[in-house]
Each structure stands twice: as structure tokens, then as C-alpha cells.
Amino acid sequence: MVFARRGILKSALIAVTVLLSGGVPALSAAPLTVVATTGMIADAARAVGGDAVTVTALMGPGVDPHSYRQTRSDIVAMAKADLVLWHGLYLEAQMEDFFADLGKKRRVVAVAEAVDKSRLLGHQNYAGRYDPHVWMDPALWTGVVVAVRDALTEAQPAEAAAFKANAEAYLAELAALDTYSREVLASVPQGSRVLLTAHDAFSYFGRAYGYEVIGIQGISTQSEAGLNRVSELVDLLVSRKIAAVFVESSVSDRNIRALIEGAAAKGHEVRIGGELFSDAMGETGTYEGTYLGMIDHNVTLITRASGGTAPADGRTGRLSAGL
Ligand code: ZN
């Protein structure tokens, strides 16, 4: 009996050995685990990485990256990850020291730092620093996608060809998004190309598409808007006859509402043009919860609220809000 069992065991072992050494295709490597700070970076990593990566974003919908601090579970996730991608350019202002430290031990890449500095706008409050909101211009965001591709390739060289092909397809989508944005925003009457939002996240958007952009707060949400600033902007709304202002998904609408009340007190009616995705994408699992959907939403909403022409369901027919 014992003999027989040993015999079975032995043949089973031989079978396993044959399977491992024979012409059976090797099991593909485990997916690369990637942790990204913002949803936009995570989305780029998913698009470029495909099946070869599993990506986690630390910041979900509605989360403000300027004030975000790593949680205990974030730290655990980053310590286990093969690759950590953060934005840089001082966007994650509260996590700078943390990433400097983590970079000594782990593979950590600040992907927006790869964008050509000559294409960046300066930071209004800090000499030598840049406006970090580069995702607002799809043409500029291509530099980040290329940096994501390079970081993935360095971490998983065996997948280089797949990452390259995926990146090319995604960059083509960004180019199509840029073309759509240019076309529909050009339909807005010249005098209405003013974008007033809660904080200064849209300067790259303004530069790309010929919009004057005004944020109540500065480039960071950390600075408080003073009463003077609010009353100055009320005067601007009235004198320029601006009809719509926008709230942001990741910033309180308190200041925007103060503006509307201030303008109303002066007999000028301003409405909320809608909610823009400034520093975070929409709900996970929706079209707006992707970078392409986020920008489509913003562009389509701004166009339609400012008197231009754009399809209510956006570039791809997938906008769910029915703007
Ligand atoms: Zn911001």
C-alpha cells in the first residue's frame, strides 16, 4: 500500500517536472503593481500598461491634491508597489518630503516633471515654480503619458513593445480630444471666452484654447480668497456681463456662491454653468471617471454654457450628465 502510494507520488512528481521543463509556455509574469497619486496619472498608467499592470490611485473623485496627505494604508500600498507615480511640480504639496524619502528606497517617478519646462507657466506666488495643472491641456498631457510609458518600461522591460503600442493608441486619443476641444470652443463668441472658477486650475486650458481664465483662489487651494478679491471679481462679472461661473468637483463652492450673491446685489444675474472636474476625475467606473471623459465633460460644458455649440453627449457620445 505504502509502496503504491509512493509510486503514484513519484509519477506525479515526474509529470510536474516534465510540465515545467518541457515545451509548455511559461506562465506570464505577475502584473506590475503601480500606485499613482492622482486619478489622471492612474488612468494614463492603466491605458499604457494594459493587462501587464495593476494600478491603484490614492486620490479618488473629489479629492484635492493640494491638501492631500498620505494615509496609513497609502503608505502600505506604496511600500508594496513595484512602481510609484506622482505628479510633482509641487502639486502634492503636503507629500513632497514623503516622496523625497520614499525615492531613496523605492522606484518613484514624478511624471509631470518630465514635461518640457519651456512649455510650463510660472507659478503666480512662487518664483522658480510652475503651475502644476498640466492635464488641462491634452497636448501638454502627452508629455506625462510618455513619462508614464518610460517609467513602466524601465520597471518591466519585457513589456516594452506592448507599452509602446498602447501609448501610441492613447496619444492618438489625446490628439483627437485636442482637435474636438479646439473646434467646439472656437464656436463660443469671442466676448464670452472668459472662465471664472473657484481656483486657478485652468491656465493651461486658457492658453491652449484662447480663454481668459480667472480663479477666485490662486493656483493652490491652500490660499484663502480675501474679501477684496471677491468684491473685485463681482465688479468684473458686472462690467464684463459674464453670465456663468463654474464650480469645481474638488473645491468648495463657497466663494463661487459669494460671487453670485454679490453680483445679484448689484443687479447682475449670474448662474452656475455647471461643475467642472479640475483636480480630480469623475466617479470611478463612469466615462467622466477617465481622463478622456473628464476633459470631454469640461470642454463640452464650458462650450455650451458660454453660448457655443457642442453635442450634449460630448465628443464620443458617452457623456452621462446630459449637459
Ligand atoms: Zn489645483
Side-chain angles (χ1 to χ4, degrees), residues 64-66 91 133 135 199-201 219-221 279:
D64 174 6
H66 301 284
L91 177 72
H133 302 90
W135 57 90
H199 90 296
D200 258 330
I219 283 178
S220 170
T221 56
D279 292 358

Side-chain angles (χ1 to χ4, degrees), residues 277-301:
F277 298 115
S278 53
D279 292 358
M281 309 192 300
E283 289 303 317
T284 308
T286 67
Y287 175 52
E288 291 82 356
T290 67
Y291 173 76
L292 296 171
M294 164 196 194
I295 302 296
D296 190 2
H297 167 94
N298 286 351
V299 164
T300 303
L301 180 70

